[in-house]
Structures are given as structure tokens and as C-alpha cells.
Amino acid sequence: MSYSKIPSFTLPSDPSKEMQLRQANVRECEAYAGYDDGVEEVVATQLLEDLQCDPAKYIDPNLMTADDRRYAALWYHASTVTDPTIHVPFQCPVCGEEHNPLINYADLMRGARDITGKPEREIEHNGTRWIVRPLNGYAMAELEELRLQRDGHPPGSAEYNASAIIIERHKIVAALTPAGFDGSRDECGEQVQETILNMPQISYEQLRDQVNNAQQEMTHGLETVEEAGQLFLIVNTPCTKEAGQNVRVRFPFRVGHYIPGDLSRRLANLDKQSGHLAGR
């Protein structure tokens, strides 16, 4: 089978690892488009499995960090679309006017950063040593399933609120491994969850803060910020009225928007995104 490679790239979480993808064919695009809305992490895993075309450089997409996967999705999109730009309209705080800059994906990719140190940190909490790692593909798919379950209930309902708490706990469980643990991922998750469920609430909150701080130290990939469960991509763009004045703008980022499939629907979703001031 013939295929067309796209330029390779290195993982922001580990620049020593290089990934080589090829363009998806029509059959594959139709298959990706056939998934239900809301399961984009599952589709992203399938895409990154299908489209790797150099066995010597194969990387398990389930073990890639969430930020590696986002970077890979945007890299693929930027390398395969005929128009590698996107409009990001926003109300400029410098001049007060509405701007609608055309952002090139290449500029977004250049703004990505490699991780500082290894993609893991060791912490100690109440005498127990833990290894904290960035959330990976397995965790993102699990969180996606939990969110779908949550969203099947009316916001504010008991079921919705209970699911929301479970989601936040799972973010911590999925990031932790007891130091020296050598069992399976499922066994690890069960042990960590049982430990956390038996913690006093204040102890859990302290552990959660330690995990969040460790993950902040491991920031890598595209510049993003999460607010109220929504991930935003940050872009710096100049004010077109005041020379030398730059504005940090954010716009919603979802992996599913950059997965090949129903191209017309995908681009329509991107066009609907409006920019907002980043606020930080």
C-alpha cells in the first residue's frame, strides 16, 4: 500500500523520541468520522496507532502524555490541510477594537515547549512516596468516558455532581503510582484509589495539591490553560492598531477538531471558535 509521509516530530515530553506519521486515506477518514461525538480521545488513539509508519520509531499512543497527543493531533492537522491558518477574533484590550487575526498553525507549533527534566516527579505524603506522571492516553480515554456518563445527567442533579467529583478524583488516581510498585496498571489504579478513598478529606486535598504542583513542573507541549473543564490554546498576536503591542488570546482546543474524518464538519467547528483574552 502506498502512502504519503508527513514531516516527523519529537515528543515534547521526551525530545529523544521521534514520531513518524503518514496521511490518512479515505477509508480511514470515513472510519474516524463514524465515531460518536464525544469519543475523540478514543479516535485519537486509533489514529496515532494507524498512521505511524516507521516501526523503528513506534510509540504506544496510550502511553503518550495528553500534551504529546494534542501536539501530535495539531501537527498532523497543520501538515495535511491546504490552508494551515485559523481566524481568532477577539476584542482587543489595547485599542478597544475587534480584531480577527489569521494565525498560522506553524506559529502555534513553534510556541510549544519541551518538558524540563523527566516526565515524572517523586513526592512524599504522610510518609508514603509517590511517583507523579502526566496523564496519558489511557487516562484521557477513561476521563472521556466518565464525562460522557456525567453529561447524561442534568447539570446540578445528584448524579451529575457525584460524577463530577469522581472525575476530579480520577485525575489524581491516574497520575499516581506508589514508589517501587511493579504490578499492572489496573492493579496500580485499584491500590491508589483504595488508598485515596480511605484518606481524610484534608489529607486528600493536600495530596491533590502536591500532584497538581508536580504536574505544573512538568508542563510541556502547546501552551494551554484549562478553565471549568474546557481546554484553551494560548496564542500571542499583535494589536493591529498599536505597533509593538501584543495580546495573549485563547481559543477552545479539542483533539477531535484536528482528527481527519468529516473535513467539512471539522473546519466548520474550527470556524465557530472565537478568541478570548487569555487573562494570564
Side-chain angles (χ1 to χ4, degrees):
M1 181 178 66
S2 64
Y3 53 77
S4 178
K5 292 182 179 181
I6 67 172
S8 61
F9 60 92
T10 57
L11 301 188
S13 72
D14 187 348
S16 69
K17 294 181 179 179
E18 184 178 9
M19 177 168 273
Q20 177 68 69
L21 301 177
R22 61 172 173 82
Q23 292 191 38
N25 59 38
V26 173
R27 178 181 291 106
E28 289 164 329
C29 289
E30 290 180 355
Y32 302 142
Y35 281 84
D36 292 336
D37 288 344
V39 294
E40 56 197 52
E41 294 291 347
V42 174
V43 183
T45 297
Q46 189 64 54
L47 177 145
L48 293 171
E49 180 72 34
D50 293 342
L51 302 187
Q52 290 189 64
C53 57
D54 187 340
K57 298 177 181 178
Y58 175 78
I59 301 169
D60 186 345
N62 293 294
L63 300 179
M64 293 171 64
T65 70
D67 285 295
D68 283 343
R69 289 158 61 91
R70 293 165 187 150
Y71 184 85
L74 187 57
W75 183 280
Y76 179 90
H77 179 80
S79 301
T80 56
V81 292
T82 54
D83 180 8
T85 58
I86 181 174
H87 282 282
V88 183
F90 67 96
Q91 186 75 29
C92 181
V94 176
C95 67
E97 296 187 10
E98 180 82 11
H99 296 329
N100 189 15
L102 194 61
I103 306 298
N104 194 297
Y105 289 116
D107 293 333
L108 297 179
M109 309 307 295
R110 279 193 290 270
R113 59 184 287 190
D114 291 338
I115 199 168
T116 300
K118 295 182 178 180
E120 62 180 47
R121 296 291 187 273
E122 183 173 318
I123 63 173
E124 184 173 339
H125 178 71
N126 290 344
T128 300
R129 290 185 302 117
W130 300 92
I131 303 300
V132 182
R133 295 185 176 89
L135 296 180
N136 61 19
Y138 283 121
M140 296 308 293
E142 291 163 354
L143 288 166
E144 183 173 74
E145 182 177 356
L146 289 171
R147 291 189 183 99
L148 289 172
Q149 295 173 5
R150 177 201 64 188
D151 294 343
H153 303 288
S157 66
E159 294 85 358
Y160 185 98
N161 293 339
S163 295
I165 292 175
I166 292 171
I167 288 170
E168 293 308 307
R169 167 165 46 86
H170 192 71
K171 290 179 182 179
I172 306 303
V173 171
L176 286 170
T177 302
F181 184 85
D182 62 358
S184 69
R185 183 176 184 276
D186 288 343
E187 291 170 337
C188 178
E190 290 173 3
Q191 179 175 321
V192 175
Q193 179 166 269
E194 189 65 19
T195 300
I196 285 179
L197 286 173
N198 285 294
M199 280 184 181
Q201 180 68 19
I202 190 169
S203 180
Y204 166 66
E205 290 174 355
Q206 292 168 347
L207 175 62
R208 181 192 61 198
D209 290 343
Q210 286 182 269
V211 170
N212 289 338
N213 289 337
Q215 290 184 326
Q216 187 65 34
E217 290 180 10
M218 296 183 284
T219 297
H220 59 282
L222 303 166
E223 186 178 5
T224 59
V225 62
E226 183 176 347
E227 293 184 8
Q230 169 68 61
L231 190 71
F232 294 90
L233 184 63
I234 305 298
V235 59
N236 291 304
T237 184
C239 170
T240 55
K241 296 294 184 181
E242 299 290 338
Q245 296 292 319
N246 288 327
V247 181
R248 283 167 54 81
V249 181
R250 69 184 191 185
F251 63 96
F253 182 91
R254 291 180 57 183
V255 171
H257 289 162
Y258 302 94
I259 292 173
D262 185 343
L263 183 61
S264 60
R265 182 179 65 178
R266 178 159 53 103
L267 295 180
N269 285 336
L270 287 172
D271 286 343
K272 290 177 184 176
Q273 294 178 151
S274 57
H276 306 275
L277 298 183
R280 63 170 67 185

